Amino acid sequence: MAETPKTFSTTLAPHIHSADSVAKRYWGQVAALMPLVLAACFFRRAEFLHALLLSLISAVAFEFFSAKLFEKKNKFYHGEAVLIALLTAVLMPSGCPASAIILANFLALVVAKEFFGGMGEYLFHPVLFARVFLQGGVPGLMAEPMVFYGNGWILAAIGLGGLLLLKQRRGYWEIPFLYLAVYSFSDLALGCRAGDPLGFFTGVLFTGFFLLVDPVTLPLTRKGTRWFVSGAALLGALLSPRGFSIVAAGSAILLMNLLTPWLDIWLRPIPHSSRKLLKEGRAQ
Amino acid sequence: MAASKSVGIRLERKKDASLLNWNLKKTYSPEKVRVPLRCGSRPCVRAGEHVQTGQKIAEPDRPEEVTVYAGIAGTVTEIASIPDPTGATITAVTVQGRAEPKSAPVVWEVRKGWEQISAGEFMMTCQHLGLVTTDLSSEPVHAKVKKNAAARTLIVNCCEPEPYITCEQVLLLSHPVEILKGAELLRKALGAEKILFAFEECNFEVGELIKSKIFFLKWDHAEARAVPALYPQGLEKLLLQNWFPGKEDQAVAFPASTVFAIYEAVAHQKPFYERIVTVGGECVVEPRSLWLPLGTSFRDALHACKGVMREPDKMVMNGPMAGIAQADMNVPVTAGTAAVLALPKEIVKEDPEEPCLRCNLCVDKCPVGISPVMITLAADHGEFGIAAISGAEACIECGNCGYVCPSKRPMLKKIRAAKEGLKTHRIRETAARHG
Ligand code: SF4
Ligand code: SF4
């Protein structure tokens, strides 16, 4: 029998934890983006590679400096900066100057993320915030993302990435499909303006799978998340008069981000024990 | 059953090790016990006095309290305050066992006509033989019966949703008929119409055994019902909430081991001085469920299972999800001790806390349907009103939210802070209202 120490750790329950972690979540999303990144490298070659490398370098640098500036521990190993860099690169238009890519990463990592409280605290989706802000600031410079053009392989890569995300079971599975359904339905109802169906589905699926998975800016219940996504899809369709537009979809998501605190309060869970009492109260 | 009612986590059960060898024939007899006295009972022995196994050592001061008995024969050496496994300070009577070879196990006399015992006699027996429920509440059985006089259904809880723990399962497999008879005694005392035996659906051998015994006894007022094998489904509060939504007062639940103790008390006049405990965890040489006299130290409990093969990082009373970590091994086994676990570092390692990702996992896995994330974020900011509307007071402290949280936030600590803050907030509000 081994000798046992006199005192043991007395932290509160639970004494065991799931294997899930923040780093696994972010790196999981990075992994799911890989098919798209590889497809983009293949089809857009030097142009996308250039944007990707620049985005990665600037994101890492901004992450490092903002950790210094805000006196926080540099948590590069979480993979959040890499994820932001990849998403930013994917959303950049063709012929976009290097300064715009660097600025986009600055806006995402320093302004939208750190100024709003850092990891877990920010209000707006950092990548969309940066992209929409840039579009507003330099409208002539920013067009639709260079990877969102009618290419079946790109669409397949997004689908494959989506499957990888679904397999990780870290978000609500219905979100991308709900987004796709509401967006398509709204678009049809508004007069079916999706000129290029391949481009349309590429944009909508990418948004549904990769831009609506950041839980920080989503509501705190499943029901709330469904409302959020439906609202974002409807607003996105309303704001883009000519098929899918990343800025319209992004602006719609940012607008819904503003509503998140209200959705959290409005749709907060009701304890099972008080549900019946509430029902009776209403019936009386 | 509605989906929302079966919320929980499919945990690794880790029960096989303690199911490998079980033999409930003999109670382990430690050299010393420190029998915890209940608040409201007064010792009736003095230091230096000799006591026998099953001898009364404390009497109740109040009608709702119970008598306390010694679990081993020996000499009373001390009556002093000691910490119990919940962290409270209690009075305990220390009995030092005799040095001579262990005597034969005590045989208790069968009471004549025990099956026809009246409700009044039942209550007296429970009180005088020291019966308390074998869960953390350790409520005197007669007081619980009295409090639940309106219950129409008796639930005998055979579920053990926490990993490692097998004591109820082992007891059921060894003494199914006794448990059924104990349940019948309890049903009659309660004046209830029906008995429901709750078992976990993955423990189908337990379910089948109960069903076959019900069939054999030709009872049409009893039924065995499966509970999803999801932690924490099977806890008393959830059984009542899920099976009798909004009518919780029409049913009452007792653990199967309490029902067995009732049978032994009524049929054999055996006082409640020992309980079945699972001694387990990866560090234990021979994990198993065994009978331990109340007051056995955790150290002796491990010794009864051949000790530990490596240093535990945590000693936990009851399960790893909602159990209480112990600072040392001297704490005594109490009526609420279902398990003594010695867990190694790799199992109980704690990662540093990260900011909340708002991933909603805690909300989706909360069995009572509240919002742990809103409660804890509100508690962090001192917003106790939001903690209240998010359901802080309905939390049953099952540990699910802390288990699933990818950010490894200490949820229970924060929820308790919210509950405390809420209490203070309410007291202040009331004081302000009354001038
Ligand atoms: S809030 Fe309470 S009841 Fe809900 S999962 Fe957390 S500990 Fe369990
Ligand atoms: S599980 Fe943890 S990280 Fe996720 S919402 Fe709950 S508290 Fe936040």
Side-chain angles (χ1 to χ4, degrees):
Chain A
M1 177 175 170
E3 261 311 303
T4 46
K6 287 227 161 56
T7 52
F8 303 95
S9 145
T10 52
T11 46
L12 284 178
H15 308 292
I16 50 175
H17 294 91
S18 71
D20 200 2
S21 72
V22 173
K24 278 188 186 163
R25 289 185 161 243
Y26 283 121
W27 287 114
Q29 285 188 49
V30 169
L33 264 174
M34 279 307 131
L36 174 63
V37 169
L38 291 178
C41 287
F42 185 77
F43 290 107
R44 287 294 181 172
R45 293 179 191 261
E47 193 178 15
F48 182 73
L49 261 177
H50 171 253
L52 182 65
L53 282 178
L54 200 58
S55 192
L56 277 170
I57 293 166
S58 49
V60 172
F62 286 130
E63 176 83 349
F64 179 78
F65 287 118
S66 62
K68 284 258 171 288
L69 184 69
F70 294 97
E71 290 172 358
K72 287 181 179 172
K73 212 173 138 212
N74 183 10
K75 296 203 170 152
F76 177 72
Y77 60 89
H78 278 157
E80 196 189 11
V82 174
L83 179 69
I84 289 181
L86 291 186
L87 288 173
T88 307
V90 168
L91 293 187
M92 284 296 131
S94 190
C96 169
S99 55
I101 297 172
I102 296 170
L103 188 59
N105 277 293
F106 173 78
L107 287 168
L109 277 155
V110 182
V111 180
K113 193 184 135 202
E114 290 303 337
F115 280 176
F116 279 90
M119 181 195 256
E121 298 269 343
Y122 49 85
L123 182 62
F124 298 108
H125 192 296
V127 177
L128 288 173
F129 177 88
R131 185 62 174 80
V132 171
F133 192 91
L134 274 184
Q135 182 92 18
V138 272
L141 206 69
M142 306 300 280
E144 280 303 289
M146 67 176 108
V147 294
F148 287 11
Y149 70 107
N151 179 326
W153 288 106
I154 294 267
L155 183 59
I158 291 174
L160 181 62
L163 284 181
L164 288 176
L165 273 182
L166 290 178
K167 196 162 178 297
Q168 291 172 17
R169 292 160 160 249
R170 294 220 169 94
Y172 299 124
W173 64 268
E174 71 272 25
I175 293 312
F177 305 107
L178 184 64
Y179 187 73
L180 176 67
V182 177
Y183 206 112
S184 313
F185 183 78
S186 313
D187 208 59
L188 275 176
L190 292 168
C192 190
R193 307 144 309 160
D196 162 24
L198 214 50
F200 175 85
F201 283 117
T202 307
V204 175
L205 272 186
F206 179 81
T207 313
F209 277 125
F210 294 105
L211 298 177
L212 289 168
V213 282
D214 177 28
V216 181
T217 54
L218 292 175
L220 287 172
T221 52
R222 187 171 204 148
K223 216 193 245 175
T225 310
R226 288 182 190 151
W227 276 100
F228 180 101
V229 168
S230 309
L234 180 68
L235 272 177
L238 278 172
L239 290 175
S240 56
R242 284 183 298 276
F244 179 83
S245 136
I246 188 64
V247 174
S251 310
I253 292 174
L254 295 178
L255 281 173
M256 290 306 292
N257 285 160
L258 280 175
L259 292 182
T260 301
W262 277 273
L263 285 174
D264 286 342
I265 293 289
W266 176 43
L267 295 169
R268 69 180 180 278
I270 297 164
H272 297 323
S273 52
S274 20
R275 265 179 213 172
K276 182 149 193 298
L277 298 178
L278 280 180
K279 250 187 234 163
E280 278 169 4
R282 247 176 253 142
Q284 276 160 16
Chain B
M1 210 176 280
S4 65
K5 290 178 182 171
S6 306
V7 173
I9 307 171
R10 211 164 282 280
L11 292 170
E12 201 186 329
R13 292 175 65 78
K14 301 193 174 181
K15 300 198 189 233
D16 295 350
S18 64
L19 286 173
L20 274 180
N21 69 67
W22 49 274
N23 174 2
L24 298 186
K25 291 228 168 73
K26 226 173 120 203
T27 304
Y28 172 74
S29 187
E31 275 169 17
K32 183 175 99 175
V33 289
R34 294 194 295 171
V35 187
L37 300 190
R38 299 176 55 82
C39 143
S41 55
R42 155 180 43 85
C44 57
V45 286
R46 271 195 234 124
E49 216 171 290
H50 293 295
V51 291
Q52 294 301 325
T53 305
Q55 183 179 323
K56 189 199 292 182
I57 54 170
E59 281 174 338
D61 263 346
R62 300 192 295 252
E64 63 281 6
E65 270 307 328
V66 292
T67 311
V68 182
Y69 292 85
I72 60 168
T75 311
V76 175
T77 54
E78 195 184 24
I79 300 173
S81 295
I82 60 161
D84 85 346
T86 63
T89 302
I90 48 155
T91 307
V93 175
T94 306
V95 179
Q96 186 71 44
R98 297 204 184 111
E100 73 246 29
K102 302 271 178 305
S103 48
V106 193
V107 180
W108 300 96
E109 241 174 74
V110 179
R111 183 200 300 252
K112 276 201 195 100
W114 61 269
E115 279 175 291
Q116 272 70 50
I117 191 172
S118 69
E121 267 181 292
F122 176 91
M123 302 288 261
M124 290 261 284
T125 306
C126 290
Q127 186 185 17
H128 288 151
L129 294 182
L131 285 174
V132 294
T133 57
T134 47
D135 51 22
L136 213 49
S137 71
S138 301
E139 201 178 348
V141 169
H142 70 287
K144 189 166 176 177
V145 169
K146 205 166 160 194
K147 201 169 81 190
N148 291 283
R152 303 270 53 91
T153 306
L154 163 68
I155 301 174
V156 178
N157 192 359
C158 314
C159 304
E160 289 165 311
E162 287 255 22
Y164 301 101
I165 309 180
T166 54
C167 55
E168 303 280 334
Q169 182 180 349
V170 164
L171 190 60
L172 252 151
L173 294 174
S174 320
H175 300 284
V177 177
E178 288 87 342
I179 290 177
L180 261 76
K181 296 215 161 152
E184 182 63 3
L185 290 168
L186 190 52
R187 180 191 72 82
K188 283 186 189 157
L190 278 161
E193 287 148 12
K194 209 173 161 97
I195 310 175
L196 290 179
F197 290 88
F199 67 96
E200 284 159 288
E201 62 186 356
C202 57
N203 265 351
F204 52 86
E205 75 276 23
V206 167
E208 288 309 313
L209 187 65
I210 301 171
K211 281 179 197 162
S212 69
K213 297 297 172 200
I214 292 174
F215 180 76
F216 167 74
L217 291 167
K218 298 194 178 71
W219 285 358
D220 49 10
H221 59 277
E223 191 191 316
R225 253 196 217 177
V227 172
L230 294 171
Y231 180 83
Q233 296 299 326
L235 292 190
E236 181 176 326
K237 271 191 191 161
L238 294 179
L239 286 178
L240 293 173
Q241 244 173 54
N242 294 346
W243 287 354
F244 298 90
K247 294 184 212 144
E248 284 89 344
D249 57 341
Q250 293 193 7
V252 58
F254 283 84
S257 49
T258 309
V259 174
F260 181 73
I262 291 173
Y263 165 81
E264 287 199 308
V266 175
H268 297 276
Q269 308 185 64
K270 182 186 161 193
F272 181 66
Y273 58 75
E274 59 185 5
R275 68 152 295 157
I276 183 166
V277 178
T278 303
V279 179
E282 283 78 357
C283 298
V284 179
V285 175
E286 205 174 82
R288 63 199 169 100
S289 293
L290 73 169
W291 287 105
L292 290 177
L294 300 184
T296 305
S297 71
F298 279 24
R299 186 185 305 281
D300 287 338
L302 288 178
H303 199 261
C305 296
K306 301 201 173 145
V308 290
M309 55 183 128
R310 56 188 167 133
E311 235 173 51
D313 201 48
K314 253 188 187 179
M315 285 299 300
V316 175
M317 178 178 87
N318 299 344
M321 289 295 280
I324 305 166
Q326 305 299 318
D328 63 43
M329 290 210 197
N330 298 325
V331 284
V333 165
T334 61
T337 309
V340 171
L341 303 179
L343 302 170
K345 201 176 184 114
E346 70 270 17
I347 299 290
V348 292
K349 70 171 189 310
E350 277 167 30
D351 293 322
E353 180 186 350
E354 304 275 1
C356 170
L357 283 185
R358 301 168 59 99
C359 68
N360 295 3
L361 261 185
C362 54
V363 184
D364 296 337
K365 296 293 178 197
C366 175
V368 293
I370 58 177
S371 179
V373 53
M374 278 174 81
I375 298 169
T376 53
L377 290 178
D380 285 349
H381 296 105
E383 299 273 4
F384 298 115
I386 295 188
I389 60 164
S390 305
E393 283 145 316
C395 169
I396 57 167
E397 304 198 352
C398 68
N400 268 13
C401 49
Y403 176 86
V404 293
C405 179
S407 298
K408 313 296 170 200
R409 301 177 72 225
M411 302 296 276
L412 195 53
K413 194 170 155 196
K414 289 174 192 277
I415 291 172
R416 284 201 184 154
K419 285 182 181 173
E420 276 305 308
L422 205 52
K423 255 191 231 158
T424 329
H425 181 71
R426 292 233 162 97
I427 293 170
R428 265 199 222 126
E429 261 189 358
T430 322
R433 218 176 297 137
H434 296 295

